[in-house]
Amino acid sequence: MMTKIPYKTYLTEEEIPKQWYNLRADMKEQHDPMLHPGTLQPLSAEDLYPIFCEELARQEMDSTTRYIDIPEGVLDYYKTFRPSPLIRAYNLEKALGTPAKIYFKFEGNNTSGSHKLNAAAAMAYYAKEQGLKSLTTETGAGQWGTALSMACSFFGLDLTVFMVKVSFNQKPFRKAVMETYGANIIPSPSDTTEIGRAILAKNPNTGGSLGCAISEAIELSMKDDSCRYALGSVLNQVLLHQSIIGLESKIAMDKLGEYPDIIIGCAGGGSNLGGLIAPYMQDKITGKADPRIIAVEPASCPSLTRGKYAYDFCDTGKITPLAKMYTLGSGFMPSPNHAGGLRYHGMSPILSKLYHDGYMEAISVDQSTVFEAAVLFAQKEQILPAPESAHAIYGAIQEALKCKETGEEKTILFGLTGTGYFDMQAYMQYHDKTMTDQVPTDEDLEVGFCSLPNLD
Amino acid sequence: MMTKIPYKTYLTEEEIPKQWYNLRADMKEQHDPMLHPGTLQPLSAEDLYPIFCEELARQEMDSTTRYIDIPEGVLDYYKTFRPSPLIRAYNLEKALGTPAKIYFKFEGNNTSGSHKLNAAAAMAYYAKEQGLKSLTTETGAGQWGTALSMACSFFGLDLTVFMVKVSFNQKPFRKAVMETYGANIIPSPSDTTEIGRAILAKNPNTGGSLGCAISEAIELSMKDDSCRYALGSVLNQVLLHQSIIGLESKIAMDKLGEYPDIIIGCAGGGSNLGGLIAPYMQDKITGKADPRIIAVEPASCPSLTRGKYAYDFCDTGKITPLAKMYTLGSGFMPSPNHAGGLRYHGMSPILSKLYHDGYMEAISVDQSTVFEAAVLFAQKEQILPAPESAHAIYGAIQEALKCKETGEEKTILFGLTGTGYFDMQAYMQYHDKTMTDQVPTDEDLEVGFCSLPNLD
């Protein structure tokens, strides 16, 4: 390079990609189809119309269209928080004493605090276009609920968010942000749905679960034809919308004359990881390049590293379609872990397939190690990361330290999905040394696997 | 313009100004000098060396050097969070139906959540350069304490923050952020200082005040020759460092072919307002342009609109030098108001002088009206503002609505100093309609004025 690479590289608004990239169009083999929970037959887009708005149902099923136009309305909305910066982690590199070049794509500079807004934008936009009046969803840690609240407020839709009760009680400030954007927040399980009432009757003091909240959100949406349900991860449509992360990263890296040797993302349901790696996975599948791609998941919820590749329900209540994916079983109860966004029993079917076919690596890491990386990063790069994002930081630091040993000047790109401003309880536990690492035993995993549907 | 003005305008890193602008060099008349609290004689830079590090003491007294080089080390640090974007508020304009063009300079995209980092960077840098080991400071709402924690962590200094006890108890998450950056946080009043012990002896249950925290921070710094005190507002040096806001804004506006007819900032101690308006005030003083400049302050703490222009102490404990400024009296107790950053009895001497000489206007607004503006802005521009910043939003909306009446296409620039992620308690009160507007009566003000030193 002629001049020093800047700390931050921003694209211009004109350079924001005008199309999402559909990774499925380049995959050598498709993942097995989603199955109807009643008939166990492969689903069609039409089968999904009662749940999702129609354009999203079509996108969910589309395995052939390589590039899909981003509607003008979504692009205009993207401009309120995109492009996001690609940042060279000079200060972290220096602290580590590594010859590696570390870059991260930072998606946290918006009020939702994460990349979730990329998909929320599309979901709210298409719902409005279809003439719907409202959406329902669930939220655990609160990033997705906040993102969809913001997008619904912007496009003029009502929103009901079922918030896992334990989070509802622990995170009143997340609730307040969503209310600022006009959303109606209901602690789940609630007495507003049949499934909620049934769960409460059985266990009045339960703190709820994401699985239950999903079931309640779907039930409510089915009662009103002008309402649909929205989900912020796992789905093919979400990976499509999140491809904006990878596409922007690649344009910015190209401008700098860089190409990553290693790409690292945190992995929960796969929304960020799938979006970040999309164009690089395209290169890898089509033989244009051969970067290493690494998923980092919490040791407390290790779907890729210790799960089974099998058909499973996407929710605990077993009312959703079945997906073929790496799963710990919908009955798996992850131990408390502050990276709430990564506490999901399954994994995106697309990413599961790619991992199964050897295109990706995966590692797991325990919580206190993740926070050690988070604090080092916060001090050196001056951005306080979300616990989820800190998994990717950990992965990047490990690879950078390997370069220090070998002297290799590798180029590392990782996804910094968000900020931790609403996760300070977890940081406090880390500072107070009251944080615990809870890794499931083989027996714990067996309990989850027993919940897998027997389809053979 | 040939092409549509983008939502966001970022300078390149090369375009970040390399010098701060010292507004005093262009002022027709200087403000009256600070006085020593013991002798009541004008202070010299040397008098300040025991309190501030030497370079900062010199900057405090420098009324003649127009441009001061930003050290390389500070510029490098600035690159971790600057340049900040200049944003065209298209969506707010549309919601208001105004022909006005509204721009805002957004300083909140960093972990401290505000513009405070601009000055913290300089203070930590110069302290390190002088060979000091540590700094002390006080914080109320927490923005300044967080900013200085981040900068001290970066430059390798220890930091003790005296946090007003009521904030310490109400904002454990702010404390956790500062601890992540290695700061030692002490609730004030504390038993670690003489003044703290004296106050506690008199009133063991007091929630503390900013004035008391300042006194404790200064006392602690005086005990150790490798330690100095740092203050995040009011001072001339702070306005100097914050001039980066206005300088960047002006370069970005120039690029767009724009010049503001009206510039609006929130006003507490004056750090943001003074920084934002600096280069425009230069134009106004030197006759190059004549923009309107408007300060917006809380009705609960109306130093410019209802205060007296007089010599006063900068702290409640009356141990600091005296400054000639608009003040409500150091004994004035502002009613609870969530814009903690604006709850200061005085105002920057530079801004006070300019206001006194007719270069600036000022308005005050009550809290619930401010939050109404904040929520509208959050929904339309998709950034959740700090309560402090929302005062400027209110001012901009008022001016934009006037343009709607007159049909004038005025260009409005305001400062969005920060985000409200750690202020959700206030938003909750607004949503719950438990927020109250507490405007001091004339009798309340009289109590404060009685505390003014009698120098005549």
Side-chain angles (χ1 to χ4, degrees):
Chain A
M1 297 299 295
M2 300 282 286
T3 55
K4 189 185 172 189
I5 285 175
Y7 282 71
K8 292 190 216 135
T9 303
Y10 281 100
L11 305 184
T12 66
E13 281 173 12
E14 274 67 46
E15 290 171 322
I16 295 178
K18 306 280 187 296
Q19 298 181 309
W20 292 302
Y21 166 59
N22 183 8
L23 181 52
R24 296 181 76 193
D26 282 308
M27 286 170 68
K28 303 268 194 233
E29 286 180 28
Q30 295 300 314
H31 61 71
D32 292 327
M34 274 204 283
L35 303 181
H36 190 285
T39 64
L40 298 183
Q41 293 304 304
L43 282 176
S44 68
E46 288 74 15
D47 289 329
L48 292 174
Y49 287 175
I51 302 178
F52 302 125
C53 76
E54 296 182 7
E55 183 58 31
L56 293 169
R58 285 191 289 270
Q59 290 179 357
E60 191 63 31
M61 293 302 164
D62 187 342
S63 62
T64 54
T65 314
R66 184 167 281 110
Y67 293 99
I68 293 178
D69 286 346
I70 304 175
E72 278 295 324
V74 175
L75 274 176
D76 275 347
Y77 182 58
Y78 275 177
K79 288 174 187 167
T80 66
F81 63 98
R82 304 202 70 81
S84 71
L86 176 77
I87 305 182
R88 175 76 182 267
Y90 281 118
N91 295 309
L92 179 63
E93 289 172 18
K94 196 173 155 196
L96 297 173
T98 178
K101 292 184 279 185
I102 307 175
Y103 291 89
F104 60 99
K105 180 70 169 168
F106 180 35
E107 292 287 316
N109 264 352
N110 66 68
T111 289
S112 82
S114 83
H115 66 294
K116 294 287 184 185
L117 213 42
N118 297 323
M123 293 188 193
Y125 172 83
Y126 286 125
K128 187 70 181 179
E129 283 294 294
Q130 191 176 319
L132 300 176
K133 299 276 182 271
S134 60
L135 289 174
T136 68
T137 197
E138 75 294 321
T139 202
Q143 289 183 337
W144 169 247
T146 308
L148 197 61
S149 299
M150 291 172 66
C152 282
S153 160
F154 190 83
F155 287 109
L157 289 162
D158 290 335
L159 174 67
T160 299
V161 180
F162 288 89
M163 188 170 187
V164 176
K165 193 180 278 176
V166 62
S167 295
F168 180 92
N169 292 330
Q170 279 175 356
K171 296 193 164 188
F173 296 160
R174 270 285 186 201
K175 173 175 172 278
V177 177
M178 291 187 271
E179 285 178 343
T180 300
Y181 288 96
N184 176 33
I185 318 299
I186 300 176
S188 169
S190 75
D191 61 6
T192 66
T193 66
E194 282 175 38
I195 198 156
R197 285 189 293 271
I199 290 169
L200 284 174
K202 213 188 280 180
N203 186 355
N205 297 319
T206 178
S209 72
L210 210 48
C212 168
I214 292 176
S215 307
E216 287 202 87
I218 294 177
E219 183 184 322
L220 181 64
S221 76
M222 304 287 273
K223 284 182 190 158
D224 177 354
D225 195 46
S226 69
C227 180
R228 292 292 184 282
Y229 166 72
L231 179 66
S233 193
V234 183
L235 299 172
N236 299 340
Q237 59 188 269
V238 173
L239 266 67
L240 174 71
H241 306 146
Q242 295 293 357
S243 68
I244 191 85
I245 305 173
L247 294 168
E248 271 191 11
S249 302
K250 194 150 185 274
I251 296 170
M253 295 287 275
D254 284 350
K255 281 189 160 192
L256 303 176
E258 293 278 27
Y259 193 94
D261 299 301
I262 308 172
I263 302 141
I264 301 169
C266 61
S271 67
N272 158 69
L273 181 66
L276 174 69
I277 68 174
Y280 299 106
M281 187 58 87
Q282 178 183 35
D283 288 351
K284 193 163 173 123
I285 292 172
T286 59
K288 278 193 202 151
D290 193 25
R292 284 177 63 206
I293 295 175
I294 306 173
V296 187
E297 56 183 15
S300 60
C301 196
S303 54
L304 286 173
T305 51
R306 295 176 70 195
K308 288 191 177 170
Y309 189 48
Y311 266 111
D312 194 8
F313 292 95
C314 299
D315 69 330
T316 318
K318 303 192 177 187
I319 65 168
T320 63
L322 290 97
K324 181 79 173 283
M325 59 184 175
Y326 277 87
T327 177
L328 298 163
S330 64
F332 174 75
M333 294 302 287
S335 325
N337 181 306
H338 286 290
L342 306 182
R343 289 181 65 199
Y344 183 68
H345 66 277
M347 176 59 64
S348 143
I350 293 175
L351 294 179
S352 292
K353 175 68 176 164
L354 290 166
Y355 179 64
H356 189 67
D357 290 352
Y359 289 100
M360 257 170 55
E361 306 164 41
I363 60 171
S364 75
V365 55
D366 58 32
Q367 186 169 226
S368 53
T369 308
V370 163
F371 273 84
E372 198 180 326
V375 170
L376 176 67
F377 183 84
Q379 294 187 351
K380 298 306 168 189
E381 291 296 322
Q382 299 276 299
I383 298 171
L384 187 94
E388 292 84 358
S389 321
H391 286 72
I393 294 171
Y394 167 80
I397 289 174
Q398 291 311 105
E399 293 300 325
L401 291 176
K402 283 183 205 164
C403 288
K404 186 178 180 178
E405 276 182 32
T406 62
E408 289 172 290
E409 281 186 39
K410 286 190 181 164
T411 301
I412 299 169
L413 168 65
F414 74 90
L416 190 76
T417 55
T419 51
Y421 309 146
F422 290 91
D423 302 289
M424 294 317 298
Q425 194 72 44
Y427 277 90
M428 286 165 74
Q429 290 189 1
Y430 178 74
H431 297 318
D432 297 347
K433 304 193 194 311
T434 55
M435 181 171 278
T436 56
D437 295 317
Q438 291 159 316
V439 180
T441 63
D442 289 342
E443 288 72 33
D444 293 334
L445 292 186
E446 221 33 67
V447 172
F449 294 145
C450 286
S451 70
L452 287 173
N454 190 349
L455 299 184
D456 303 323
Chain B
M1 297 298 297
M2 300 280 287
T3 55
K4 189 186 173 191
I5 285 175
Y7 282 72
K8 293 190 215 132
T9 302
Y10 282 100
L11 305 184
T12 67
E13 280 173 13
E14 274 67 45
E15 290 171 321
I16 295 178
K18 306 280 187 296
Q19 298 181 309
W20 292 302
Y21 166 59
N22 183 8
L23 182 52
R24 296 181 75 192
D26 282 307
M27 286 170 68
K28 303 271 192 230
E29 287 180 28
Q30 295 299 314
H31 61 73
D32 292 327
M34 275 204 283
L35 303 181
H36 191 287
T39 64
L40 298 184
Q41 293 304 303
L43 282 176
S44 69
E46 289 74 13
D47 290 329
L48 292 174
Y49 287 174
I51 302 180
F52 303 125
C53 76
E54 296 182 7
E55 183 59 30
L56 292 169
R58 285 190 290 272
Q59 289 180 357
E60 191 62 32
M61 293 300 165
D62 186 343
S63 61
T64 55
T65 313
R66 184 167 282 112
Y67 293 99
I68 293 178
D69 286 346
I70 304 175
E72 276 296 324
V74 175
L75 274 176
D76 275 347
Y77 182 57
Y78 275 178
K79 288 174 187 167
T80 67
F81 64 98
R82 306 202 67 81
S84 71
L86 176 76
I87 304 182
R88 175 75 183 268
Y90 280 119
N91 295 310
L92 179 63
E93 289 172 16
K94 196 174 153 196
L96 297 174
T98 178
K101 292 184 280 186
I102 307 176
Y103 291 90
F104 60 98
K105 180 70 167 167
F106 179 37
E107 292 286 317
N109 264 352
N110 67 68
T111 289
S112 81
S114 82
H115 66 293
K116 293 287 184 186
L117 213 42
N118 297 323
M123 293 188 191
Y125 173 84
Y126 287 124
K128 187 71 182 179
E129 283 294 293
Q130 191 176 319
L132 301 176
K133 298 277 182 270
S134 61
L135 290 174
T136 68
T137 197
E138 75 294 321
T139 201
Q143 289 183 335
W144 169 246
T146 308
L148 196 62
S149 300
M150 291 172 66
C152 282
S153 161
F154 190 84
F155 288 108
L157 289 162
D158 291 334
L159 174 67
T160 299
V161 180
F162 288 90
M163 187 170 187
V164 176
K165 193 179 279 178
V166 62
S167 294
F168 180 92
N169 292 330
Q170 280 174 356
K171 296 194 167 189
F173 296 160
R174 270 285 186 201
K175 172 174 173 280
V177 176
M178 292 188 271
E179 285 178 344
T180 300
Y181 288 95
N184 176 33
I185 319 298
I186 300 175
S188 168
S190 75
D191 61 5
T192 66
T193 65
E194 283 176 38
I195 197 156
R197 285 189 292 271
I199 290 170
L200 285 174
K202 212 188 282 180
N203 186 354
N205 298 319
T206 178
S209 72
L210 209 50
C212 167
I214 292 176
S215 306
E216 288 203 86
I218 294 176
E219 183 183 321
L220 181 64
S221 76
M222 304 287 273
K223 284 180 189 158
D224 177 356
D225 195 46
S226 68
C227 180
R228 291 294 184 282
Y229 166 71
L231 179 66
S233 194
V234 183
L235 299 172
N236 299 341
Q237 61 189 266
V238 173
L239 265 67
L240 174 72
H241 306 145
Q242 295 293 357
S243 69
I244 192 85
I245 305 173
L247 294 167
E248 271 191 12
S249 301
K250 193 150 185 275
I251 296 169
M253 294 286 276
D254 284 350
K255 281 190 160 192
L256 302 177
E258 293 277 26
Y259 193 94
D261 299 300
I262 309 172
I263 302 143
I264 300 169
C266 62
S271 66
N272 158 70
L273 181 66
L276 173 70
I277 68 174
Y280 298 105
M281 188 59 87
Q282 178 183 36
D283 288 350
K284 193 164 172 119
I285 293 171
T286 59
K288 276 193 203 149
D290 192 25
R292 283 177 63 204
I293 296 176
I294 306 173
V296 187
E297 58 183 15
S300 60
C301 196
S303 55
L304 286 173
T305 50
R306 296 176 69 194
K308 286 190 178 173
Y309 190 48
Y311 266 110
D312 195 8
F313 292 95
C314 298
D315 68 329
T316 317
K318 303 192 177 188
I319 65 168
T320 63
L322 290 96
K324 180 77 173 282
M325 58 184 174
Y326 277 86
T327 178
L328 298 163
S330 65
F332 173 74
M333 293 303 285
S335 326
N337 180 306
H338 287 289
L342 306 182
R343 289 181 65 198
Y344 184 68
H345 67 277
M347 176 59 63
S348 143
I350 292 175
L351 293 179
S352 291
K353 175 69 176 163
L354 289 166
Y355 179 64
H356 189 67
D357 290 351
Y359 289 100
M360 257 170 55
E361 306 164 41
I363 60 171
S364 75
V365 54
D366 58 32
Q367 186 169 227
S368 53
T369 308
V370 163
F371 272 84
E372 198 180 327
V375 170
L376 176 68
F377 183 83
Q379 294 188 350
K380 298 306 169 189
E381 291 297 322
Q382 299 275 300
I383 298 171
L384 188 95
E388 291 84 357
S389 320
H391 287 72
I393 295 171
Y394 167 81
I397 290 175
Q398 291 310 106
E399 292 300 326
L401 290 176
K402 281 184 205 165
C403 288
K404 186 178 179 176
E405 275 181 33
T406 62
E408 289 172 290
E409 280 185 40
K410 286 189 180 164
T411 301
I412 299 169
L413 168 65
F414 74 90
L416 190 75
T417 56
T419 51
Y421 308 147
F422 290 92
D423 302 289
M424 294 317 297
Q425 194 73 44
Y427 277 91
M428 286 164 73
Q429 290 189 1
Y430 178 72
H431 297 318
D432 297 347
K433 305 193 193 311
T434 55
M435 180 171 276
T436 55
D437 295 315
Q438 291 159 314
V439 180
T441 63
D442 288 344
E443 289 71 33
D444 294 334
L445 292 186
E446 218 37 65
V447 172
F449 294 146
C450 286
S451 70
L452 288 173
N454 191 349
L455 301 184
D456 303 321

